[in-house]
């Protein structure tokens, strides 16, 4: 009998793998009642380790939270449990969701199942790799600036970032609250549809969540808006995939129309000002007193205790962002950074609104390059940030976006994404299904379908956080 964790030894998608624990949770009746027997009954899934599942750990990829066990379950996960789906484990991520490669995880990185010399993308890299490997048919992630779509693209699977507010954030550890949403990674659009229709909807425990009402398309023939990408250099592999996708869409009957999104050029800076500002506030609670490993021996000196707990427990990228966020919010300087960033945010929202009066969907690459190598041969942290340009636009505007495997270039998957107006998730799914019917893509070479029970034996699994 094979063990998922044995098979995961090379990829390191999971931080915790415990299907038994998940099965216990799935068997507990809740006040919202059981709705089992449907297509998700008994289906295993993985959860990014910044989303709470009771009795599982909730490390957020941070050494500071190594020992935190969640006392409660996120609404999105609970809705899946109510339909009989089984959370089998928690997946690796860049610490608190900050990054694009899992290299910022406090527990070591995850490797790309298509090529172990490359990153799986991030921050939900563990979720994407677990799905690409076939460990689970779907996984939950979070998308603040691309963290569901970019790893999905790097691992050759689908990644849905829903409309802001469509899925409750209750139980998602906040990084940048006004930008993020729980999203889904899967190998099949039909699975995304099933999971999305399960987890969406208003939740009294998240006041930014909204009731769902689908945005229907009125035009008969779908028109796809294609923005001018002139000022943003695409690497060869993405350029080639972009041209193939445009050509492919035309061939299967989509109408293409040029659109303008001039604010795109200012978006990355504005995104990082807003994301870091919100992060500096959201992460204040991880101080070694309310949450997090406490530096021993300083109970009489709380200031020193907090300083030491944070400087030992948090990684460099997280510290950098807390400092940046504190800097842009300091008194007297808000106009210069934060308010300017908000104005750019309004501009991109208006530009999309304008575009969607003439088109049904917008097509963009997910990332300017394909899956890059890890370590010094890869992308430095600054270039990784600049490369968030295409993904963070949907977060800044609150729009739904779906990344799909568009082509394989030099043996590696390249993803493109459709964006739509609020609540147009179904439209995005249908467009991807249409594309996949004509241009099906191979699974990653290491993919193996799950066995008849949907998952594999888990006996004797070592704890990935130890050692
Ligand atoms: N790469 C982006 C960042 O580091 C996106 C992260 C995310 O969506 N959580 O902020």
């Amino acid at each position: 009998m094979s063990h998922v964790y044995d098979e995961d030894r090379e990829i390191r998608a999971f931080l915790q793998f415990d299907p038994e624990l998940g099965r216990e949770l799935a068997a507990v009746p809740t006040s919202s009642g059981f709705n089992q027997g449907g297509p998700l009954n008994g289906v295993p899934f993985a959860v990014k380790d910044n989303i709470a599942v009771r009795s599982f750990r909730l490390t957020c990829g941070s050494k500071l939270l190594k020992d935190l066990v969640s006392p409660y379950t996120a609404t999105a996960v609970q809705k899946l449990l109510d339909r009989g789906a089984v959370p089998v484990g928690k997946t690796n991520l860049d610490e608190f969701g900050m990054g694009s490669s899992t290299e910022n995880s406090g527990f070591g990185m995850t490797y790309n199942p298509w090529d172990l010399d490359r990153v799986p993308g991030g921050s939900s890299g563990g979720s994407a790799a677990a799905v690409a490997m076939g460990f689970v048919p779907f996984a939950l992630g979070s998308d603040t600036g691309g963290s569901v779509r970019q790893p999905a693209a790097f691992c050759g699977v689908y990644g849905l970032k829903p409309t802001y507010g469509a899925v409750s954030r209750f139980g998602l550890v906040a990084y940048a609250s006004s930008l993020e949403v729980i999203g889904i990674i899967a190998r099949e659009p039909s699975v995304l549809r099933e999971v999305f229709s399960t987890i969406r909807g208003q939740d009294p425990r998240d006041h930014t969540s909204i009731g769902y009402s689908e945005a229907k398309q009125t035009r008969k023939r779908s028109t796809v808006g294609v923005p001018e990408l002139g000022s943003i250099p695409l690497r060869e592999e993405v350029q080639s995939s972009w041209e193939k996708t445009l050509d492919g869409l035309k061939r299967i009957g989509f109408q293409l129309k040029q659109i303008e999104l001039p604010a795109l050029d200012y978006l990355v800076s504005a995104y990082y000002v807003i994301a870091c500002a919100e992060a500096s506030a959201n992460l204040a609670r991880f101080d070694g007193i309310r949450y997090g490993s406490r530096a021993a021996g300083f109970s009489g000196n709380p200031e020193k205790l907090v300083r030491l707990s944070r400087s030992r427990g948090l990684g460099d990228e997280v510290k950098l962002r807390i400092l940046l966020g504190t800097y842009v919010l300091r008194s007297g300087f808000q106009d210069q950074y934060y308010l300017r960033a908000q104005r750019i945010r309004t501009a991109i929202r208006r530009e999309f609104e304008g575009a969607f009066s003439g088109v049904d969907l917008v097509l963009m690459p997910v990332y300017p390059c394909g899956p890059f190598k890890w370590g010094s041969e890869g992308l430095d942290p600054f270039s990784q940030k600049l490369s968030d340009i295409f993904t963070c636009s949907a977060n800044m505007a609150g729009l739904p976006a779906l990344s799909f495997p568009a082509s394989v270039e030099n043996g590696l998957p390249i993803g493109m994404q459709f964006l739509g107006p609020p609540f147009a998730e179904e439209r995005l799914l249908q467009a991807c299904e249409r594309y996949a019917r004509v241009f099906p893509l191979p699974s990653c070479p290491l993919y193996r379908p799950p066995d008849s029970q949907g998952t594999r034996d888990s006996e004797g699994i070592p704890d990935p956080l130890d050692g």
Side-chain angles (χ1 to χ4, degrees):
M1 188 65 103
S2 61
H3 306 296
V4 161
Y5 199 71
D6 276 347
E7 291 165 56
D8 192 33
R9 217 176 280 281
E10 279 182 311
I11 300 296
R12 298 188 164 269
F14 283 96
L15 290 177
Q16 183 183 13
F17 184 77
D18 195 344
E20 211 34 65
L21 189 55
R23 272 192 284 273
E24 278 166 31
L25 293 177
V28 179
T30 60
S31 52
S32 59
F34 273 142
N35 176 17
Q36 297 181 351
L40 292 179
N41 197 28
V43 173
F45 67 103
V47 182
K48 184 179 183 179
D49 204 16
N50 62 350
I51 301 172
V53 185
R54 188 162 60 81
S55 310
F56 278 87
R57 275 191 297 241
L58 181 59
T59 69
C60 301
S62 181
K63 288 202 175 102
L64 192 75
L65 301 181
K66 182 178 183 295
D67 302 314
L68 179 66
V69 173
S70 179
Y72 73 110
T73 297
T75 300
V77 174
Q78 189 58 53
K79 287 180 162 194
L80 290 163
L81 281 167
D82 288 347
R83 296 197 60 198
V86 181
V88 295
K90 305 300 295 288
T91 50
N92 198 16
L93 67 157
D94 291 294
E95 189 173 3
F96 291 108
M98 299 179 180
S100 309
S101 65
T102 69
E103 289 170 295
N104 298 338
S105 167
F107 307 111
M109 64 176 286
T110 298
Y111 297 83
N112 191 313
W114 290 72
D115 177 351
L116 300 179
D117 289 336
R118 290 170 194 272
V119 304
S123 61
S124 317
S127 284
V131 169
M133 288 290 286
F135 293 156
V136 283
F138 74 93
L140 296 182
S142 62
D143 194 311
T144 311
S147 278
V148 158
R149 289 162 286 153
Q150 186 258 22
F154 276 22
C155 292
V157 293
Y158 292 85
L160 175 66
K161 175 231 173 272
T163 307
Y164 182 76
V167 178
S168 166
R169 283 184 293 113
F170 178 75
L172 166 67
V173 178
Y175 155 22
S177 319
S178 78
L179 295 162
E180 65 206 359
V181 62
I182 290 180
I184 311 155
I185 296 174
R187 296 183 66 252
E188 305 287 343
S190 59
V191 176
L192 286 181
R193 176 180 288 118
E194 193 60 43
V195 175
F196 178 58
S197 69
T198 302
I199 66 175
R200 72 193 183 199
Q202 196 161 20
D203 178 11
R205 293 194 276 195
D206 170 7
H207 290 290
T208 62
S209 68
I210 23 187
Y212 198 80
S213 90
E214 190 185 321
K216 293 255 170 17
Q217 182 171 322
T218 45
R219 247 178 301 266
K220 263 225 170 101
R221 183 168 174 215
S222 295
T223 307
V224 177
V226 181
E228 183 59 61
L229 302 176
S231 62
I232 304 143
L234 299 181
R235 288 267 185 88
E236 211 180 298
E237 66 276 15
V238 179
Q239 183 66 36
S240 151
S241 182
W242 172 246
E243 284 161 19
K244 281 183 202 164
T245 311
L246 291 174
D247 187 54
L249 288 173
K250 261 190 277 183
R251 273 170 42 206
I252 58 177
F254 285 90
Q255 189 161 355
L256 304 188
K257 192 173 160 187
Q258 194 80 35
I259 57 162
E260 307 263 325
L261 296 174
L264 214 54
D265 284 335
Y266 307 96
L267 220 52
V268 170
S269 335
Y271 165 77
Y272 275 97
V273 166
I274 295 170
C276 293
E278 293 185 18
S280 69
N282 277 327
L283 268 55
R285 73 194 69 158
F286 302 111
D287 54 10
I289 295 175
R290 286 168 292 181
Y291 292 94
S293 316
R294 189 170 300 179
F298 295 99
S299 48
N301 186 344
E303 212 184 299
K304 196 156 188 189
L305 188 156
V306 170
R307 193 164 349 113
L308 273 179
S309 303
R310 281 166 81 83
S311 58
R312 285 179 192 165
L314 298 173
D316 288 347
E317 183 63 34
V318 173
K319 285 177 188 158
L320 171 73
R321 294 191 192 199
I322 292 173
L323 287 172
L324 266 176
T326 311
Y327 180 84
V328 299
L329 287 179
R330 78 204 190 286
S331 81
F333 286 80
Q334 274 130 338
D335 285 6
Q336 214 172 319
Y337 298 106
Y338 193 71
L339 294 181
R340 252 169 110 182
Q342 294 292 10
R343 277 198 284 275
I344 294 169
R345 188 172 189 176
T346 306
I348 191 75
R349 193 172 282 162
R350 295 225 175 99
E351 288 173 12
F352 272 118
E353 262 167 34
F356 284 123
S357 62
V359 300
D360 306 297
L361 303 159
V362 166
L363 182 79
M364 275 203 252
V366 173
Y367 211 65
C369 65
F372 52 87
K373 291 203 170 149
W374 47 264
S376 56
E377 279 184 76
L379 278 191
D380 62 81
F382 187 69
S383 308
Q384 287 188 27
K385 292 187 180 70
L386 291 179
S387 303
D388 287 335
I389 173 141
F390 301 124
T391 46
C392 74
S393 61
N395 304 78
M396 292 286 271
L399 303 175
L402 172 53
S403 77
F404 60 98
S407 68
V408 174
E409 308 288 331
N410 309 320
L412 293 169
I414 304 294
M416 296 292 150
Q417 58 174 337
F418 284 122
L419 288 81
F423 304 117
E425 281 83 354
E426 179 55 29
R427 197 185 298 177
L428 309 181
L429 287 164
Q430 284 179 14
C432 283
E433 284 172 330
R434 247 172 96 181
Y435 186 86
R437 267 197 295 274
V438 187
F439 307 105
L441 285 192
S443 300
C444 87
L446 295 178
Y447 170 75
R448 226 163 46 74
D451 68 20
S452 56
Q453 280 143 39
T455 184
R456 299 155 188 158
D457 194 350
S458 60
E459 260 172 67
I461 291 170
D463 185 335
L465 263 51
D466 288 338

